[in-house]
Amino acid sequence: MADALSVIPAFVIRNLSDKLYEKRKNAALEVEGIVKNLASSGDHDKITAVINLLTNEFTYSPQANHRKGGLIGLAAATVGLSTEAAQHLEIEGFDQQVCMGCEWCFIVDCFSVAMVQIVPPVLNSFSDQDSRVRYYACEALYNIAKVVRGDFIIFFNQIFDALCKLSADSDANVQSAAHLLDRLVKDIVTESDQFSIEEFIPLLRERMNVLNPYVRQFLVGWITVLDSVPDIDMLGFLPDFLDGLFNMLSDSSHEIRQQADSALSEFLQEIKNSPSVDYGRMAEILVQRAASPDEFTRLTAVTWINEFVKLGGDQLVPYYADILGAILPCISDKEEKIRVVARETNEELRAIKGDPAEGFDVGSILSIARRELSSEWEATRIEALHWISTLLNRHRAEVLTFLSDIFDTLLTPLSDPSDEVVLLVLEVHACIAKDPQHFRQLVVFLVHHFRNDDSLLQKRGALIIRRLCVLLDAERVYREFSTILEGESDLNFASVMVQALNLILLTSSELSELRDLLKKSLVNPAGKDLFVSLYASWCHSPMAIISLCLLAQTYQHASAVIQSLVEEDINVKFLVQLDKLIRLLETPIFAYLRLQLLEPGRYMWLLKALYGLLMLLPQKHEGEHSGNLLAKPNRPQTREQSAAFKILRTRLKTVPSYSFSGEQLKQTSSGNSYQIFHHISGGSHITEDGDVNEDEKNLHNEIKFALRLQQFEQMQHQHRLHAKAQTQSRTSSASSASSKEVQRPEDSTSSNPSEMNRPPSISSRRGPGQLQL
């Protein structure tokens, strides 16, 4: 300090700390001259002493005016040093390869050391509590930077950090001064060959998370400037600050969003033109940003992903699953622009045929598709199913290894409100079920789900079964269902399920070939075999068996089944099913049966079966008539049943009488057509419906109708026992509940005989007539 005081007059030191700016400025000019003289004379120690004095006694002083004087003094000292140095640097013909002697080396060395001593205290003043001190620090560093230019690049990170903070300063004057300094520093950096982007990027990455709008503008400005410098490879470091730029797209300031979008657009263009890009790291960022709540951010992210999928090639193989996970939800985005780009990207991604041997992870993509099956958006669920189907077609073996993980998930969409989703998931199931073991597993799972969710059977049962029949062969599907239901322990469910299958068999256009095969049960071994295969499970429902027999033209056996029915079998559910059958007999499906009535002498068992059904229908009625084949059997619709009685009776009255002998016509002229059976039964030439040849007799023997009837009666006996057990269980539960509280008189069970017309208590399961066929 003594050396410094020996060269700096007392009045200069005094004026440096004066409250008046003019006095401080004049004192600084004196310091500039003193340092210039010291540099010319080569007095390095005294220059160091002067800088130390200005630093320790002024810039670090607790007095604000001292700090202001110290800052302006350091700037003046820099100017004094650099003036002498500049004279040497501008010598004409100076060759940097030739040493200029001790004086030149001293000046350069002194200048470099001085920079190390001068810049840190100025940077320290940027965080001063006094806004005027911060302002003078900006002014001082501005003057220093103008003099030294690229020589202070070694302090760039510290200067950048300081400017980053000052850009959001609370004082407008300080902000203005910081902006001027910032522009100068940008100019210096763009022309410098000493700037290290590698050292700068970690600081930039850290600052990109700041939310202050002024800081964000400052950062985007620097990114844009550095990217414009040809020698600086900002694209190579884009993954380090890409996420920060995407953050700014949702800023509340329109100007910041615009600047960030402009910077991103420029980088995307550079990516398209660059032969080498690190797509992987950026893909991870884009995937996260595609789920942003901000619409503009999502659109930008999806647009980038779209370009990456087109450009990335093999680099993106490990990221396909993540990209798909980002794209599928965007397919259902509320913004149309996002949906369009997302769909295009999805198609581009699906067109890429990845190879598991090269890192294509089938399991990960399958997991993403499975996850999106639970999406609330229909379009996303549809595309997820398309992906599963695509994977099955391309990588069947790999997908089947994950079958245990996805099978249950694939059953859930069967209850989807969208028909398109249901049809697609059935196509996936059909693709899986090409293998016999998987086919069996599918049908078992379907039966399980129908059992546990009766609404699924009601709402989607017909659609599911019909579509599977198209995709997997109707006969194969029905045989498998029959095999499983034959041993079903839940008899109530078995009855409902068989009724559903029977109704679909009788009404669906997709099963026309199956019906044609069954019609030939008495003349065709394949038809016979199918009839026998279905018979065992159809025994769960009397009406299903009767329908099957009418379809297979085994009319004598149908009549025998009707005759075997006992009182317990004819309940509300039976009458509802019977009503539906009578109405179905009037549809085109049973046109062949109605035409056979033109030959009553040949088809006497058909007549007897139909009259048997007529006798089971009640004639008296009450209630309203809905006329709906699929009406819900919430209560016995006896008017519907009476309508069915009229329909069938009217049909039987139209049976022509010319096929009978004169004696038969005479005896039946009273209108009692049922009497014909007493006369035709003596006709020994008819042993079964129609003309029976030897082959047909053999088929009859193979069907073994007597054993079939016994099989049906045994199954119905099990159902009756099951129903009685359920009734006893309910009675026991009711008695137990009533014993816990006193029953009020008005709550007692009515003994009114009219109550007997109400339907008996039945299972909560609804009949297959409620299927949406």
Side-chain angles (χ1 to χ4, degrees):
M1 182 175 178
D3 289 342
L5 293 175
S6 66
V7 297
I8 299 178
F11 79 92
V12 174
I13 294 176
R14 184 170 59 252
N15 287 341
L16 273 176
S17 60
D18 197 274
K19 64 179 180 179
L20 296 176
Y21 172 73
E22 288 299 327
K23 288 186 176 182
R24 295 197 301 272
K25 180 179 178 181
N26 290 332
L29 292 174
E30 292 290 338
V31 171
E32 178 185 341
I34 292 170
V35 172
K36 185 188 300 183
N37 292 332
L38 291 173
S40 299
S41 61
D43 199 338
H44 175 77
D45 293 336
K46 287 185 179 180
I47 292 174
T48 301
V50 170
I51 293 173
N52 287 336
L53 173 68
L54 293 173
T55 300
N56 299 323
E57 298 300 322
F58 285 86
T59 59
Y60 292 128
S61 171
Q63 301 297 323
N65 288 329
H66 281 67
R67 299 197 295 275
K68 296 173 187 176
L71 290 168
I72 195 172
L74 288 174
T78 304
V79 174
L81 277 171
S82 63
T83 301
E84 187 68 24
Q87 293 177 1
H88 288 274
L89 289 172
E90 293 171 4
I91 294 177
E92 186 176 354
F94 170 69
D95 187 351
Q96 295 184 11
Q97 302 299 324
V98 179
C99 179
M100 298 300 295
C102 295
E103 182 181 2
W104 164 249
C105 294
F106 162 75
I107 292 172
V108 174
D109 181 60
C110 181
F111 185 74
S112 300
V113 173
M115 288 302 97
V116 175
Q117 293 175 314
I118 291 172
V119 175
V122 178
L123 293 175
N124 182 70
S125 299
F126 281 150
S127 58
D128 198 282
Q129 293 181 352
D130 191 318
S131 62
R132 296 303 297 170
V133 174
R134 298 197 300 274
Y135 177 85
Y136 284 116
C138 291
E139 183 182 74
L141 191 58
Y142 182 88
N143 290 322
I144 293 169
K146 284 183 68 176
V147 173
V148 303
R149 304 299 289 184
D151 289 298
F152 87 144
I153 290 295
I154 59 173
F155 297 104
F156 177 76
N157 276 14
Q158 294 93 314
I159 294 172
F160 178 88
D161 196 35
L163 286 173
C164 188
K165 297 173 183 176
L166 289 177
S167 64
D169 198 278
S170 58
D171 188 279
N173 291 326
V174 175
Q175 276 195 21
S176 179
H179 290 161
L180 289 173
L181 175 59
D182 180 52
R183 285 198 291 269
L184 176 60
V185 175
K186 286 176 181 174
D187 290 340
I188 294 172
V189 169
T190 56
E191 66 186 25
S192 172
D193 58 357
Q194 301 178 36
F195 176 75
S196 174
I197 185 66
E198 291 82 4
E199 295 179 4
F200 169 65
I201 287 298
L203 176 62
L204 177 62
R205 181 174 59 241
E206 180 183 345
R207 290 290 176 267
M208 290 298 288
N209 295 321
V210 177
L211 300 179
N212 186 283
Y214 297 106
V215 175
R216 283 185 161 182
Q217 282 186 306
F218 171 81
L219 294 171
V220 176
W222 266 101
I223 290 172
T224 304
V225 167
L226 292 176
D227 187 48
S228 66
V229 180
D231 294 334
I232 298 178
D233 181 22
M234 286 294 284
L235 184 60
F237 294 95
L238 181 57
D240 291 285
F241 55 88
L242 180 64
D243 191 56
L245 282 175
F246 268 93
N247 256 332
M248 296 178 190
L249 291 177
S250 58
D251 196 277
S252 58
S253 169
H254 174 72
E255 185 177 358
I256 293 175
R257 294 198 303 271
Q258 195 172 35
Q259 289 177 347
D261 181 49
S262 178
L264 286 168
S265 298
E266 184 62 31
F267 278 119
L268 184 57
Q269 189 60 44
E270 292 178 27
I271 290 172
K272 294 179 182 179
N273 299 329
S274 175
S276 177
V277 178
D278 183 3
Y279 291 99
R281 288 180 60 195
M282 290 188 285
E284 295 176 351
I285 297 170
L286 297 175
V287 164
Q288 296 177 357
R289 291 298 163 188
S292 170
D294 179 69
E295 180 181 299
F296 187 51
T297 303
R298 292 199 307 277
L299 176 59
T300 307
V302 173
T303 302
W304 275 60
I305 291 174
N306 180 269
E307 294 295 339
F308 276 28
V309 171
K310 295 176 182 177
L311 301 170
D314 295 340
Q315 283 194 50
L316 287 177
V317 169
Y319 303 94
Y320 279 170
D322 293 336
I323 291 174
L324 181 63
I327 291 299
L328 287 180
C330 291
I331 287 174
S332 303
D333 199 278
K334 60 183 181 181
E335 174 56 43
E336 183 180 1
K337 292 180 180 178
I338 298 176
R339 295 198 301 270
V340 170
V341 179
R343 285 190 176 279
E344 179 184 338
T345 308
N346 183 59
E347 294 304 318
E348 291 279 352
L349 197 62
R350 190 155 51 210
I352 300 173
K353 298 181 179 180
D355 187 350
E358 297 177 358
F360 185 79
D361 194 341
V362 174
S364 296
I365 295 179
L366 194 62
S367 178
I368 293 295
R370 180 183 62 180
R371 183 189 72 190
E372 294 304 328
L373 285 179
S374 60
S375 169
E376 61 178 315
W377 306 109
E378 176 184 350
T380 295
R381 298 196 299 274
I382 289 173
E383 289 305 319
L385 287 167
H386 279 310
W387 266 99
I388 295 175
S389 180
T390 299
L391 291 175
L392 271 169
N393 291 328
R394 294 179 183 173
H395 311 287
R396 180 179 180 82
E398 288 82 358
V399 172
L400 292 182
T401 61
F402 298 97
L403 188 58
S404 59
D405 297 328
I406 67 171
F407 204 90
D408 284 339
T409 308
L410 284 172
L411 287 173
T412 303
L414 293 174
S415 303
D416 198 278
S418 166
D419 285 352
E420 186 174 358
V421 171
V422 175
L423 293 175
L424 278 173
V425 78
L426 288 173
E427 289 184 14
V428 172
H429 278 298
C431 186
I432 295 173
K434 290 178 180 178
D435 298 331
Q437 69 273 25
H438 296 138
F439 174 79
R440 169 75 180 183
Q441 184 182 13
L442 170 61
V443 180
V444 168
F445 269 88
L446 281 175
V447 171
H448 174 76
H449 272 64
F450 285 147
R451 183 192 306 112
N452 293 337
D453 184 5
D454 59 345
S455 65
L456 176 62
L457 182 59
Q458 295 172 29
K459 298 176 181 178
R460 294 296 187 196
L463 179 64
I464 292 170
I465 294 169
R466 290 166 61 183
R467 188 59 183 166
L468 284 180
C469 287
V470 172
L471 296 171
L472 293 173
D473 179 63
E475 182 176 351
R476 184 185 180 198
V477 170
Y478 261 70
R479 282 178 179 273
E480 195 64 45
F481 269 116
S482 180
T483 300
I484 295 171
L485 291 172
E486 181 180 354
E488 174 62 44
S489 59
D490 186 343
L491 297 182
N492 287 338
F493 165 72
S495 177
V496 171
M497 187 70 204
V498 165
Q499 290 168 17
L501 289 169
N502 183 65
L503 189 60
I504 295 168
L505 174 63
L506 295 178
T507 59
S508 300
S509 59
E510 295 88 345
L511 278 76
S512 60
E513 293 184 4
L514 202 63
R515 291 194 296 270
D516 290 341
L517 184 60
L518 283 169
K519 290 175 186 178
K520 303 173 184 177
S521 297
L522 294 177
V523 296
N524 184 298
K528 181 270 304 181
D529 190 55
L530 177 60
F531 176 83
V532 173
S533 175
L534 298 182
Y535 193 96
S537 60
W538 257 239
C539 286
H540 284 293
S541 169
M543 198 50 57
I545 278 291
I546 294 171
S547 302
L548 181 65
C549 291
L550 292 178
L551 185 62
Q553 303 187 67
T554 57
Y555 301 134
Q556 183 175 2
H557 187 66
S559 178
V561 168
I562 294 170
Q563 294 292 335
S564 71
L565 296 176
V566 299
E567 179 182 350
E568 290 90 340
D569 297 330
I570 307 173
N571 53 30
V572 173
K573 291 186 287 185
F574 175 86
L575 293 176
V576 169
Q577 294 298 315
L578 177 55
D579 176 83
K580 293 171 186 173
L581 176 60
I582 299 304
R583 295 176 187 277
L584 283 172
L585 291 177
E586 297 298 315
T587 64
I589 293 173
F590 281 102
Y592 72 92
L593 183 148
R594 298 194 300 274
L595 290 173
Q596 288 173 349
L597 292 176
L598 293 173
E599 302 180 78
R602 181 181 179 188
Y603 295 99
M604 69 170 188
W605 291 112
L606 170 59
L607 274 173
K608 186 172 183 179
L610 293 179
Y611 272 104
L613 295 178
L614 183 67
M615 294 303 108
L616 294 176
L617 287 168
Q619 298 185 60
K620 301 297 181 182
H621 58 79
E622 59 182 26
E624 295 299 327
H625 171 47
S626 69
N628 183 4
L629 271 177
L630 306 180
K632 298 180 179 180
N634 293 330
R635 59 172 297 174
Q637 299 292 329
T638 51
R639 175 176 284 274
E640 290 186 15
Q641 295 160 7
S642 177
F645 178 88
K646 293 178 181 178
I647 291 171
L648 183 56
R649 184 180 61 179
T650 301
R651 174 61 64 183
L652 290 173
K653 281 184 177 180
T654 63
V655 174
S657 58
Y658 58 76
S659 294
F660 300 107
S661 63
E663 183 65 23
Q664 290 171 340
L665 288 173
K666 180 179 179 181
Q667 293 181 359
T668 59
S669 60
S670 62
N672 185 3
S673 302
Y674 191 73
Q675 293 180 5
I676 64 175
F677 293 110
H678 296 290
H679 302 281
I680 298 178
S681 59
S684 58
H685 66 285
I686 299 179
T687 59
E688 180 54 274
D689 294 333
D691 298 327
V692 182
N693 56 35
E694 290 300 321
D695 291 336
E696 292 173 3
K697 289 181 181 179
N698 292 334
L699 286 176
H700 294 173
N701 293 334
E702 289 182 18
I703 292 177
K704 299 178 182 178
F705 285 107
L707 290 178
R708 300 291 164 230
L709 182 62
Q710 184 179 358
Q711 185 180 20
F712 168 74
E713 291 174 342
Q714 290 175 348
M715 181 61 75
Q716 288 306 300
H717 179 66
Q718 292 182 29
H719 276 269
R720 288 191 288 270
L721 292 178
H722 180 70
K724 290 179 181 178
Q726 283 189 320
T727 302
Q728 292 175 357
S729 177
R730 286 194 295 269
T731 303
S732 176
S733 298
S735 300
S736 176
S738 62
S739 65
K740 296 180 181 179
E741 58 181 38
V742 179
Q743 185 183 41
R744 292 181 295 177
E746 58 269 29
D747 293 335
S748 60
T749 304
S750 173
S751 59
N752 192 326
S754 65
E755 294 294 318
M756 298 300 293
N757 292 326
R758 295 182 180 177
S761 176
I762 59 176
S763 168
S764 60
R765 295 189 184 275
R766 297 177 181 178
Q770 297 173 56
L771 292 169
Q772 302 301 313
L773 297 178

